[in-house]
Amino acid sequence: MQEAPSTAPSRGHTPPAHTFALAVLAVLGIMAALAVGSCSLVSTGRTGPSLYERIPGAGEPTVRVRVGAGLDTLHIGSAGVARPADGGTMITLARGGHLRLRDTGWVIEDGGGGSRRVGTSGPLVVRALTPGNPLRVDEATFVGELWAHARETEPGTFDLVEHLSVESYLPGVLARELYSHWHPQAYRAQAVAARSYALHEIARRRAHRSGLHYDLVSTTANQAYTGWTDRAVAHQAVLDTLGEVLTHDGELLRTYYSSTAGGRVAGAADSWPTTGRFAFNAAEPLQAGHRATFDDDAPRARWTVTRNLTTFARRIAAYGTREGFSIARLESIDRIDIAARNAAGRPTRYTVRDRAGRSFELAAEHMRIAGNYAASGIPRVEAKARLHSGDLAFRVTGSRLEIDGRGHGHGVGMSQFGAQGMAIRGSNYLDILAHFYPGSELTSWYTE
């Protein structure tokens, strides 16, 4: 389940502002980085090229996935080799070992107790001793090369980034995003959605954040990824849909998906910005409409939580402070009402009224995030009390706030429980994708 792009510049997954001219120049960098052949873009008659158009003759790109952040030690549990990314002596770890970062550079300890120092803090590359074999690292297994990058703002710590082909990456996404017993057609639909999202994010990240050392992260900030998996249904779904993506008007569609829509889908344009670098959120297949979600049997199709009224007010005010919203002035809550709904009847905005008679508005997706915000000096929200979506109804009862919710996640695009619901009713993956992304087209982005 993905989190969506935010308007907040402090979010790690939000690209900094760039002019359109810089974005166009960055296209050249994308094409070189993807190493996919032709240097021309498809002409669509628009005023300028898009980052999300297919490059003629393009092959399968490599993706860089951050699988660890702020690490101080890496435990290598199988035979591998390590070397500086800029060249140098290759160090063999026949029995695994440990990797640490010190002021003088990398320290590599092999499984036999020996220690080697690499006199650089530049990236270090680690892979299996036999190329193509999986490498066991901490509690996960990876088939790609692992690049360790020192974090400049946190001395002694580093990020771990796996470099691998998109098709090798996808099974690990499916294994993390879906239950093992789910229908193969739900897996195929998820494979197309995950591939489309990944390729879209690769283009977006490399264009707007050219100095970043990764394209996606392995959490729901992008899409969950478990590393290498032996789940056969995941591998088969990726193979069965090789290179297939969803497009709209010839461009990659940013195929949002979430766990459960709860009977009412959300629209990207109702939830997030649609101008400038976020223009992709205006794509018609990502908007709300009257359509079944097929997820009424999901564990969080309907749910209720109870919060302390005063603490909830402090929490959303703190979130408002971080985002620069007027609701930062909120000091109490008298009531919270639905201010607007989308075409599916799902709330898109709420009005929060305080006891002094003042009113503040907050978008539904911001309300979900604000209600779970880990503000300083405020107790963390327990898992059982979290707001699972932005489809909410509020009741103030004394010092308590009772919240009835529908769904789990942002609700835009495909419902994963809905995909499973359609599959067990006899729908194939093409039916599922057409239902949740109406007006989109299935396109072969590459074939090898």
Side-chain angles (χ1 to χ4, degrees), residues 33-53:
L34 295 182
V36 291
S38 173
C39 292
S40 62
L41 292 174
V42 176
S43 175
T44 62
R46 291 190 292 272
T47 56
S50 167
L51 302 175
Y52 312 114
E53 290 174 356

Side-chain angles (χ1 to χ4, degrees), residues 48-175:
S50 167
L51 302 175
Y52 312 114
E53 290 174 356
R54 185 176 180 276
I55 303 170
E60 177 189 355
T62 295
V63 62
R64 304 170 301 171
V65 188
R66 192 182 70 183
V67 295
L71 306 177
D72 56 19
T73 303
L74 189 67
H75 302 282
I76 303 169
S78 56
V81 294
R83 62 172 175 79
D86 58 1
T89 303
M90 183 173 291
I91 300 171
T92 299
L93 304 170
R95 289 181 286 179
H98 301 85
L99 174 67
R100 296 182 175 88
L101 181 61
R102 297 291 183 259
D103 292 341
T104 55
W106 299 97
V107 176
I108 302 173
E109 301 172 0
D110 62 38
S115 179
R116 295 279 298 275
R117 291 184 178 270
V118 179
T120 177
S121 58
L124 198 71
V125 181
V126 183
R127 62 166 176 81
L129 182 60
T130 303
N133 281 358
L135 180 69
R136 185 74 176 173
V137 174
D138 292 329
E139 300 301 317
T141 303
F142 303 99
V143 295
E145 284 190 337
L146 297 175
W147 288 53
H149 293 265
R151 293 170 72 98
E152 295 181 0
T153 57
E154 301 174 37
T157 67
F158 56 93
D159 288 346
L160 191 66
V161 180
E162 185 182 16
H163 292 214
L164 73 168
S165 69
V166 168
E167 299 297 310
S168 298
Y169 156 73
L170 290 172
V173 174
L174 272 59

Side-chain angles (χ1 to χ4, degrees), residues 397-413:
T397 57
S399 63
R400 299 187 307 170
L401 182 65
E402 296 179 357
I403 307 169
D404 294 326
R406 301 169 61 138
H408 186 192
H410 50 64
V412 178

Side-chain angles (χ1 to χ4, degrees), residues 15 23-24 41 59 133 151 277 303 339 381:
V24 172
L41 292 174
N133 281 358
R151 293 170 72 98
R277 65 188 188 275
W303 46 270
V381 180

